[in-house]
Amino acid sequence: MNKPDSTTDTVTAALIVIGEEILSGRTRDENISHIARYLTEIGIALQEVRVVRDVEAEIVAAVNALRPRYTYVFTTGGIGPTHDDVTTDAIASAFGVGVEIDPRAVEAMRRGYSGLELTPARLRMARIPYGADLVDNPVSRAPGFMLGNVIVMAGIPRIMQVMLDAVAPRLKKGRPMRSRSIRIEAPEGDVAPGLAAIQAAHADVQIGSYPFFEKSKLGTYVVLRSVDDAALDRVHGALSELIAKERFKASESEADGKS
Amino acid sequence: MNKPDSTTDTVTAALIVIGEEILSGRTRDENISHIARYLTEIGIALQEVRVVRDVEAEIVAAVNALRPRYTYVFTTGGIGPTHDDVTTDAIASAFGVGVEIDPRAVEAMRRGYSGLELTPARLRMARIPYGADLVDNPVSRAPGFMLGNVIVMAGIPRIMQVMLDAVAPRLKKGRPMRSRSIRIEAPEGDVAPGLAAIQAAHADVQIGSYPFFEKSKLGTYVVLRSVDDAALDRVHGALSELIAKERFKASESEADGKS
């Protein structure tokens, strides 16, 4: 499941965002950026995201393609009570297991749904695949679940976020990715050759280059990423030498926490 | 390439967003929602999105998985001048063709890059796979390209958007998806059974249900989508009957253009 990284045992993840409303443009997805930042902070490397329709076959295909490749697969969306919520059945189908109303889920919902009747429609949300563990939902009570290495969460951002908080303690974490941002007041094209040389000499640090345009001038953010602070220092040093040699104007970005 | 829809010839698309910075959470992607809305408006159905790293093998795998399945595949990102821009080589590799500096691209860049030297690094952006058509970039001049049914664009939103405008006239369009939004002041669970019955009776209209929480009350947006106005009217009528029967409080959402 884990693709070993040559420098460290990396804990990896993929995310499947389930929702026609994102593909139609009706809803702008917030979950990808939240989950990406969250996982980076706890040392899990998100390496692929797929956005698919609320179609069982699509979800099954994505789940089965991704779960052998990554330590964890997260899904968002499609676990509500309506006919277009097909994720639970899709996950069960992907694993070849059955689905039934889970008494633990019913209990969680009974505690939370005071005043609202647990109708058959609502009880759809207590349908959980065999063998799954529940993921707590303190906001609206209908739980998410984890089956094998697949964590199935709500699509509504507020609810997804509490489910992610609830499941995070159970997950393996890798060494957190550390990053440094250096802002260079020169166009990418001018920075590129020197940067390529540094990257070639330092395979253990990811060097990303992000152009920007401000006050009619082209500039470049260089972002260094590694789990290893010493390696980061080495590359940071090499970059400082490049900047001095080329007489670039440059500054450290604030530790913006961004990776 | 086209998966024929049972009700109409649908023009479909997938999008590959190439960028480590989105997977790390450093950058929040804007391109998915822009492209999703844009394609919906011109009658192209976006059916899958993948976000992958700036790794040639990942891009090749995604391109080759998606290009037989959809009418068009769009990519964003990775066509700049730096070492981490590997998209052009990946696309060429996916198609099994060579790459070389394209005189048409050099000419476009020469016209635009007044004052900036066309260094070897910048000329990387004039490397185009054999057989590709160029996609104009009036903002920063380095062109995108189209090879087969794959349209390769910049990652920077402003530049991607003008490339999409430039290529759109060349694309086949389907019948635009039309939509209606009805806001129901009742929780999804209460709406679900009646909605399921309507969906079962009307396969030619997509019915989506989106819960919301406002002023301590649960509500549900129902979104009806179809290329066929008459079918929409039928389902809208059935929904109005359901609302009356269940005595839900409901209102039409403004024609918000959202699908």
Side-chain angles (χ1 to χ4, degrees):
Chain A
M1 285 185 315
N2 224 347
K3 281 198 325 192
D5 189 80
S6 58
T7 53
T8 179
D9 280 357
T10 319
V11 179
T12 63
L15 167 64
I16 305 170
V17 174
I18 298 158
E20 178 64 49
E21 70 278 13
I22 292 141
L23 295 167
S24 73
R26 179 180 195 279
T27 300
R28 184 173 169 184
D29 179 77
E30 297 176 39
N31 293 330
I32 294 172
S33 58
H34 178 92
I35 291 170
R37 279 194 310 267
Y38 193 101
L39 294 181
T40 295
E41 275 164 27
I42 60 175
I44 294 177
L46 181 67
Q47 297 193 335
E48 185 168 353
V49 177
R50 293 196 187 181
V51 184
V52 300
R53 295 179 291 161
D54 299 279
V55 170
E56 193 172 312
E58 302 270 331
I59 300 166
V60 172
V63 168
N64 282 341
L66 298 179
R67 62 188 180 98
R69 280 191 227 164
Y70 301 100
T71 315
Y72 297 113
V73 176
F74 296 84
T75 80
T76 63
I79 59 170
T82 49
H83 63 280
D84 57 338
D85 292 304
V86 300
T87 298
T88 295
D89 286 288
I91 302 296
S93 177
F95 279 81
V97 300
V99 186
E100 65 172 3
I101 289 179
D102 187 314
R104 302 169 296 173
V106 176
E107 188 46 40
M109 291 175 69
R110 239 185 254 293
R111 271 187 269 117
Y113 269 77
S114 53
L116 273 186
E117 198 193 327
L118 276 186
T119 58
R122 287 200 183 89
L123 282 172
R124 276 198 81 216
M125 295 190 285
R127 293 175 75 247
I128 305 288
Y130 285 149
D133 295 320
L134 300 191
V135 174
D136 197 36
N137 167 8
V139 170
S140 60
R141 308 310 325 190
F145 60 86
M146 182 168 181
L147 183 58
N149 64 330
V150 180
I151 298 120
V152 177
M153 304 184 293
I156 297 171
R158 202 166 39 99
I159 301 177
M160 183 282 292
Q161 290 168 24
V162 301
M163 288 182 175
L164 190 53
D165 286 338
V167 80
R170 298 181 226 175
L171 306 177
K172 275 187 287 193
K173 282 112 183 150
R175 298 165 68 188
M177 192 63 85
R178 315 198 49 81
S179 75
R180 314 244 177 108
S181 273
I182 298 92
R183 179 187 159 120
I184 301 179
E185 313 293 340
E188 264 203 307
D190 290 352
V191 176
L195 217 54
I198 296 173
Q199 177 76 95
H202 295 91
D204 52 354
V205 174
Q206 281 181 43
I207 304 175
S209 160
Y210 306 104
F212 66 88
F213 190 68
E214 233 178 68
K215 299 184 184 129
S216 301
K217 288 206 168 141
L218 291 165
T220 305
Y221 277 106
V222 176
V223 178
L224 314 177
R225 303 178 69 231
S226 175
V227 296
D228 178 348
D229 269 317
L232 267 185
D233 285 338
R234 282 192 295 273
V235 171
H236 201 166
L239 184 57
S240 301
E241 286 175 21
L242 173 69
I243 287 166
K245 174 165 167 269
E246 300 290 332
R247 291 177 169 42
F248 292 140
K249 193 159 163 289
S251 52
E252 307 290 310
S253 270
E254 288 91 58
D256 54 12
K258 292 185 188 182
S259 289
Chain B
M1 285 185 314
N2 224 347
K3 281 199 324 193
D5 188 78
S6 58
T7 54
T8 180
D9 279 358
T10 320
V11 179
T12 63
L15 167 63
I16 305 171
V17 174
I18 297 159
E20 178 64 48
E21 70 277 14
I22 292 142
L23 295 167
S24 73
R26 179 182 196 279
T27 300
R28 184 174 170 180
D29 179 77
E30 298 176 39
N31 293 330
I32 294 172
S33 57
H34 178 91
I35 292 169
R37 278 193 313 266
Y38 193 101
L39 294 181
T40 295
E41 275 165 29
I42 60 176
I44 293 178
L46 181 66
Q47 299 194 334
E48 184 168 353
V49 178
R50 294 195 189 183
V51 185
V52 300
R53 295 179 290 161
D54 299 278
V55 171
E56 193 172 312
E58 302 269 332
I59 301 166
V60 172
V63 168
N64 282 341
L66 299 178
R67 65 188 178 98
R69 280 190 227 164
Y70 301 100
T71 315
Y72 296 113
V73 175
F74 296 84
T75 79
T76 63
I79 59 169
T82 50
H83 64 280
D84 58 339
D85 292 303
V86 300
T87 298
T88 295
D89 286 288
I91 302 295
S93 177
F95 278 81
V97 299
V99 187
E100 67 171 2
I101 289 181
D102 186 315
R104 302 169 294 172
V106 175
E107 187 46 39
M109 291 176 70
R110 238 184 254 294
R111 271 188 268 115
Y113 269 77
S114 54
L116 273 185
E117 200 194 325
L118 276 185
T119 59
R122 288 202 182 89
L123 282 173
R124 276 198 80 217
M125 296 190 283
R127 294 176 74 248
I128 305 288
Y130 285 149
D133 294 320
L134 300 191
V135 174
D136 197 37
N137 167 8
V139 170
S140 62
R141 306 311 325 189
F145 59 86
M146 182 168 181
L147 184 58
N149 64 330
V150 179
I151 299 120
V152 177
M153 305 182 293
I156 296 171
R158 202 167 39 100
I159 301 177
M160 182 282 293
Q161 290 167 24
V162 300
M163 287 182 175
L164 190 53
D165 286 338
V167 80
R170 297 181 228 175
L171 308 177
K172 273 186 288 194
K173 307 198 179 58
R175 297 165 68 189
M177 190 66 86
R178 314 198 50 80
S179 75
R180 313 242 177 108
S181 272
I182 298 93
R183 178 187 159 121
I184 300 179
E185 313 294 341
E188 263 204 307
D190 289 353
V191 176
L195 218 53
I198 295 173
Q199 178 76 93
H202 295 91
D204 52 355
V205 174
Q206 280 180 43
I207 303 174
S209 159
Y210 306 104
F212 66 89
F213 191 68
E214 234 178 67
K215 297 182 185 131
S216 302
K217 286 205 168 145
L218 291 165
T220 306
Y221 277 106
V222 176
V223 178
L224 314 177
R225 303 179 68 233
S226 177
V227 294
D228 180 348
D229 269 318
L232 267 185
D233 285 341
R234 284 192 293 273
V235 171
H236 201 166
L239 185 58
S240 301
E241 285 174 21
L242 172 71
I243 287 166
K245 174 164 167 270
E246 300 290 333
R247 293 179 166 48
F248 292 141
K249 193 156 162 292
S251 53
E252 308 285 311
S253 269
E254 291 91 56
D256 55 11
K258 290 185 186 179
S259 289

